Amino acid sequence: MTGGARGIGAAICRALAEEGAHVFVGYQSSPDGPALAEEIGGTEVQLDVADPDSTSAAVGALGTLEILVNNAGMDDMAFFTELNPDRWRPQLAVNLEGVLNVTLAALPPMQEARYGRIVNVSSEAGRIGSKRGSVYAAAKAGVIAFTKSIARENARYGITANNVLPGPIETPMLDANRRGPRGDEVVAAMAGATLLNRIGEPEEVASMVAFLASDRAAYVTGETIGVSGGMGVGVS
């Protein structure tokens, strides 16, 4: 489980632990990572998903995983013309290449075991785009396509792969936007973009991830499922 220390990631870790999984709480630097691992009886794993060597060493030391949840993410809100490669490369490295790095490290043992559940936490931004989040949306769209491809390649091994697309969720990332320029207005607009006209909770995303990671979802693969209050309605 990457990006497991806070927000959606922490909620997913708790949900998986409640389902009986031993959870490896992946985090880069947050002090919340070790504390959460202790809370749920899991194991802390420190790694930088953007670094292939760090990822290979950390994931390789865990042995064969039955469940992989890629959740690590970051954003940098700005209009595209305000960005430059120094600002967009970190977003691509974490949000897209991080998913590739971790999956590459975890997938071969899953194939050998002929079992696995991969759940990638993308974003509705990857399906509908995002004003002032073009690079973030591009990376998340890449995750959606990558996940579908992994599902196609690995069904023969008994491995499923699915996307979960959160909409606006109460997380530290959203709170940072709230503290920014015209923050309350920005967050209100996010809520207004959903059919349910509200911000979601991390636990609502976690419940979908836990379902897709379970044997109850054995016949579900290659899917892209929004947990976004209807934000993605009408978008395939």
Side-chain angles (χ1 to χ4, degrees), residues 8-187:
I8 292 172
I12 293 171
C13 287
R14 291 187 176 101
L16 292 175
E18 288 173 2
E19 293 278 331
H22 181 89
V23 180
F24 295 102
V25 181
Y27 70 102
Q28 181 176 3
S29 58
S30 172
D32 297 328
L36 177 62
E38 182 177 1
E39 172 196 326
I40 65 174
T43 302
E44 62 180 271
V45 179
Q46 191 167 15
L47 78 166
D48 177 2
V49 299
D51 181 342
D53 293 333
S54 167
T55 300
S56 178
V59 177
L62 304 179
T64 302
L65 301 177
E66 294 185 346
I67 299 166
L68 170 63
V69 181
N70 283 302
N71 176 69
M74 63 166 292
D75 69 359
D76 184 355
M77 298 293 289
F79 288 106
F80 182 68
T81 51
E82 298 171 349
L83 296 174
N84 56 55
D86 288 338
R87 286 182 65 179
W88 75 54
R89 284 177 182 142
Q91 295 188 67
L92 296 175
V94 172
N95 295 328
L96 178 56
E97 292 181 19
V99 175
L100 274 60
N101 291 335
V102 177
T103 304
L104 181 61
L107 191 53
M110 283 185 173
Q111 292 174 335
E112 187 174 345
R114 305 193 71 82
Y115 180 88
R117 298 282 182 267
I118 299 173
V119 184
N120 291 330
V121 180
S122 179
S123 170
E124 284 288 9
R127 182 153 60 175
I128 66 176
S130 175
K131 184 178 179 180
R132 299 184 73 245
S134 55
V135 175
Y136 177 84
K140 292 298 189 177
V143 171
I144 293 170
F146 173 72
T147 306
K148 291 179 179 182
S149 300
I150 291 299
R152 289 181 179 276
E153 292 180 1
N154 290 278
R156 57 186 168 151
Y157 296 109
I159 297 169
T160 65
N162 292 285
N163 289 293
V164 171
L165 277 56
I169 304 294
E170 282 290 356
T171 63
M173 189 181 293
L174 183 136
D175 198 48
N177 289 324
R178 184 181 280 121
R179 295 194 304 271
R182 301 169 64 185
D184 289 339
E185 182 180 334
V186 169
V187 173

